[in-house]
Amino acid sequence: MHISSDSTELLVQRREAMGLTQEDLARRTGLSVRMISDLERGRTRKPHPRSLQLLTTALELDPSDMARLASGRAPDGDPAAVPGPPGKPVAQVVVPQQIPMAARHFAGRDRELRSLTALLEHQGRHAGLAVIDGPLGVGKTALAVRWAHQHADRFPDGQLYVNLRGSTPARLGPDEAIADFLDSLGVQPDQVPAGLPARSALLRSLLAGKRMLLVLDDAQSAEQVSPLLPGAAGCLTLVTSRRKLVSLVAHHGAHPVSLDVLSFQDARASLEVLLGHSRVVAEEEATAELIKICRRSPLALSTAGAHAALHPSMRITTLVAQLPVQPGPHLPGVELF
Ligand SMILES: Nc1ncnc2c1ncn2[C@@H]1O[C@H](COP(=O)(O)OP(=O)(O)OP(=O)(O)O)[C@@H](O)[C@H]1O
Ligand SMILES: [Mg+2]
């Protein structure tokens, strides 16, 4: 892709008409001052499509101007300024759809799902933000994923997901997480700026004016997620964490959702999906005992349910007899089998 002298003039005229210096435009776009200066002087003949998109957004250009910048075509159709092989798309528009698969045996959480949905209605001029907290295996990720799938159509520009691994020693730094998002949004590795503030600014520039959902899973702290938060309305972010991220609520007005273990009915409904209706109905008492031993923890129930599903001829009574009655002070689950 080339940029014509006509397009460079358009950039300068528009920037000046908006009363912006090159430095102001650099701040708005996350691009370097040098890159903007080179573009305006026609020194950069092949700007990256993403840079052009950033400039188009920051300079509030309309789609026809964007097309002119992207094609390098002069307004009168000057053939000398038309580059590239005919018919080849100049830029690939990527709509990321990164939400992981939802669990088939998900049950309950109606109130929590509704409270997240209410955020869509009350978003107004601000970016929506919710933080889901609760102990290990209580279903934070499952809730975020479930809601994200249910409402994906409200985010036509895409849904981004990152596992921040905040509860593990291999925690992802915010700069790494942003680099992943930028990559997903089509930014070439050599266009990703160094340093967290510049990366964060570029991400916000790319998200401005978009309707995107971000799921920031397993966050360790507010510091880990703050640089990833979109600034403008239209985007919504779901954060999950084992900790209560108080400062996200205090400083960013995040909507808090605290999860507890499942109700008996929801635990039973989930087992019914995993084990099959007939098996549960045939052994109601053993099922109730299983739910009790698992302390209604989604993780424990899923683990036990998966074990039973893998042994279709095993009676639930037999499974219950194999389980430790006192699994320990933590929520039972991973170490049951
Ligand atoms: N509402 C639910 N109904 C049935 N199963 C559920 C529900 N929520 C979660 N689960 C199951 O419980 C297990 C743990 O869920 P999930 O990974 O969402 O927990 P988590 O709170 O995110 O845990 P962690 O703190 O480790 O991130 C998964 O197997 C999931 O499918
Ligand atoms: Mg999780």
Side-chain angles (χ1 to χ4, degrees):
M1 182 190 349
H2 298 257
I3 189 160
S4 69
S5 57
D6 172 71
S7 304
T8 61
E9 261 169 44
L10 172 68
L11 286 178
V12 179
Q13 278 169 10
R14 185 67 188 157
R15 176 176 63 70
E16 289 178 352
M18 290 176 81
L20 298 173
T21 62
Q22 289 184 339
E23 287 75 17
D24 294 333
L25 186 55
R27 266 193 297 279
R28 280 193 178 199
T29 55
L31 300 173
S32 68
V33 176
R34 176 148 182 209
M35 179 183 280
I36 289 168
S37 161
D38 284 351
L39 271 170
E40 290 189 352
R41 282 187 289 169
R43 283 193 179 171
T44 306
R45 305 296 294 176
K46 284 187 175 184
H48 191 272
R50 184 61 54 183
S51 309
L52 291 181
Q53 191 181 329
L54 288 168
L55 288 164
T56 308
T57 305
L59 294 173
E60 296 167 14
L61 296 169
D62 66 39
S64 62
D65 292 328
M66 170 66 178
R68 272 168 63 194
L69 286 178
S71 68
R73 187 189 290 267
D76 60 358
D78 172 10
V82 180
K88 190 169 178 234
V90 177
Q92 204 76 36
V93 178
V94 184
V95 178
Q97 302 195 328
Q98 302 180 339
I99 307 302
M101 193 176 150
R104 198 172 55 92
H105 55 280
F106 186 93
R109 305 301 194 205
D110 295 342
R111 189 168 47 85
E112 290 84 359
L113 288 165
R114 272 200 307 275
S115 80
L116 293 176
T117 307
L119 281 180
L120 287 174
E121 270 74 59
H122 303 122
Q123 238 181 308
R125 296 192 300 120
H126 303 281
L129 176 61
V131 55
I132 303 166
D133 74 83
L136 179 157
V138 79
K140 302 175 292 294
T141 302
L143 176 69
V145 164
R146 174 79 165 189
W147 189 87
H149 281 294
Q150 284 178 339
H151 299 279
D153 61 332
R154 301 291 293 262
F155 304 97
D157 293 310
Q159 306 96 44
L160 293 169
Y161 171 90
V162 64
N163 183 354
L164 294 167
R165 304 195 298 259
S167 61
T168 76
R171 189 185 316 151
L172 206 66
D175 52 338
E176 296 170 280
I178 295 179
D180 283 355
F181 278 172
L182 293 176
D183 178 56
S184 307
L185 293 168
V187 178
Q188 298 298 308
D190 61 354
Q191 302 249 337
V192 174
L196 184 56
R199 283 187 187 186
S200 177
L202 177 55
L203 179 65
R204 282 197 298 275
S205 300
L206 288 172
L207 295 176
K210 297 253 168 62
R211 284 163 64 199
M212 284 194 108
L213 174 68
L214 281 72
V215 176
L216 312 179
D217 198 16
D218 194 15
Q220 197 263 346
S221 63
E223 291 70 40
Q224 192 186 19
V225 293
S226 294
L228 283 84
L229 297 178
C235 291
L236 192 140
T237 307
L238 301 181
V239 178
T240 81
S241 179
R242 287 188 193 166
R243 297 168 161 210
K244 285 192 187 295
L245 303 184
V246 179
S247 74
L248 280 191
V249 181
H251 296 133
H252 298 281
H255 170 68
V257 177
S258 289
L259 289 187
D260 201 348
V261 294
L262 296 175
S263 69
F264 176 85
Q265 284 309 327
D266 293 335
R268 188 187 171 287
S270 178
L271 283 178
E272 224 179 299
V273 176
L274 281 167
L275 274 62
H277 174 75
S278 53
R279 235 168 138 189
V280 168
V281 172
E283 289 190 88
E284 286 287 5
E285 258 184 49
T287 302
E289 187 58 21
L290 179 59
I291 292 170
K292 191 173 156 202
I293 292 176
C294 289
R295 299 189 200 170
R296 292 183 276 125
S297 153
L299 176 59
L301 287 160
S302 299
T303 312
H307 188 72
L310 287 166
H311 298 86
S313 56
M314 181 192 263
R315 299 192 63 223
I316 300 177
T317 314
T318 313
L319 172 69
V320 167
Q322 288 179 0
L323 294 174
V325 181
Q326 290 292 337
H330 47 75
L331 283 174
V334 199
E335 60 288 276
L336 281 181
F337 298 98

